[in-house]
Amino acid sequence: MEHQGRTAIVTGGSKGIGAASVEVFAREGANVIILDVDEAQGNDVASKAGEKVVFIKCDVSKEQEVKAAIAKGVEKFGQINYLVSNAGIQRYSTVTETSEEEWDLVMDINLKSAFLCAKHAIPHMQKIGKGVVVNVSSVQAMISQGNVCPYVTSKTAMIGLTRSIAVDYGPQVRCVAVCPGSVDTPMLRWGFEQSPDPEIPYQECVDMHLTKRIAQPIEVGEFIAYLCSDKAAFMTGQAYRIDGGLGVMIPGSKR
Ligand SMILES: NC(=O)c1ccc[n+]([C@@H]2O[C@H](COP(=O)([O-])OP(=O)(O)OC[C@H]3O[C@@H](n4cnc5c(N)ncnc54)[C@H](O)[C@@H]3O)[C@@H](O)[C@H]2O)c1
């Protein structure tokens, strides 16, 4: 019961990595506030996780909604110990193909949301003298596929946001980024479905990891919960890859 009596906000907690993080926090005794736009899935995750998990409908790219949702969460549980900024979307385009609207949409949901949630959650951590912010970035902040320019830009900028929060609010507040490789979630499956034969990108994803498989969301959820715990008390300001060894091997023959 590592997180007993603590309260975590998880954005994008209705599905995928966020839902898995909610499951781990709840299992380890935390109160959890899910902020997501998917009400049906969010309520489902909350009801399965037990009475200490609440869903609050919130578009995390909108400051007034974030401010009101965090205030509502504090009213319910009294304090905020952890913020997991995980909500995100994927879009496929290069610089010359990306419309201004699509660029803004990806930046708002993937990056601005993390700024807004930190802005409104950190003062509650300061009130109790302690807190942890985990920003869910991507291994694509370090190595990039083609055709995902706005996504890669947003995920790379999240590492700068992480460093700034760690510098500005330490030692009271720790801030780290998590950079997953391919994780089997609705987002990844949606990505595969953009291909005429979804099996081809799926197999490519499997093959490019040294583990020869993609991750399950719970593996990332466990890591996020660990980073929030006191066991990770010396970890701040850094981005940590959980990526099955993706990108560490130089192509060519193995002897
Ligand atoms: N799945 C992967 O392979 C992978 C790899 C690296 C990084 N990531 C990152 O992990 C995070 C979670 O990804 P996932 O694969 O679980 O995605 P997902 O699509 O399965 O879940 C994302 C959740 O975010 C919510 N969301 C989207 N826009 C929102 C908004 N404006 N306000 C509130 N909630 C919103 C969705 O409703 C959904 O519940 C994302 O930031 C993603 O970029 C995923």
Side-chain angles (χ1 to χ4, degrees), residues 176-240:
V176 294
V178 171
C179 301
S182 302
V183 187
D184 198 354
T185 67
M187 176 192 281
L188 191 73
R189 292 283 167 179
W190 172 83
F192 295 157
E193 279 156 23
Q194 306 312 299
S195 165
D197 182 357
E199 189 55 32
I200 293 173
Y202 169 75
Q203 197 54 50
E204 282 172 357
C205 271
V206 167
D207 291 342
M208 69 191 178
H209 295 80
L210 294 183
T211 49
K212 299 302 168 201
R213 67 174 179 88
I214 58 175
Q216 289 306 307
I218 199 78
E219 297 180 87
V220 184
E222 297 277 8
F223 187 46
I224 288 171
Y226 164 76
L227 288 169
C228 289
S229 76
D230 294 341
K231 290 175 188 159
F234 204 53
M235 300 169 86
T236 193
Q238 291 292 342
Y240 299 102

Side-chain angles (χ1 to χ4, degrees), residues 18-34:
S21 307
V22 172
E23 189 187 324
V24 179
F25 280 126
R27 191 190 68 209
E28 296 184 358
N31 304 311
V32 189
I33 302 156
I34 300 172

Side-chain angles (χ1 to χ4, degrees), residues 2 6-7 79-83 121-133 169 171-174 228-231 233:
E2 179 68 32
R6 301 193 176 169
T7 301
Q79 64 184 40
I80 303 295
N81 301 84
Y82 317 133
L83 165 67
I122 286 172
H124 294 289
M125 297 176 183
Q126 289 175 308
K127 269 186 207 153
I128 54 173
K130 200 174 171 185
V132 186
V133 177
Y169 299 98
Q172 287 187 318
V173 176
R174 292 191 294 114
C228 289
S229 76
D230 294 341
K231 290 175 188 159

Side-chain angles (χ1 to χ4, degrees), residues 12 14-18 35-38 58-61 86-89 109 136-139 151 155 180-183 185-188:
S14 294
K15 292 194 280 290
I17 293 169
L35 305 186
D36 202 298
V37 286
D38 189 335
C58 175
D59 179 342
V60 287
S61 67
N86 160 80
I89 56 167
I109 296 177
V136 181
S137 172
S138 167
V139 75
Y151 182 83
K155 293 296 175 184
S182 302
V183 187
T185 67
M187 176 192 281
L188 191 73

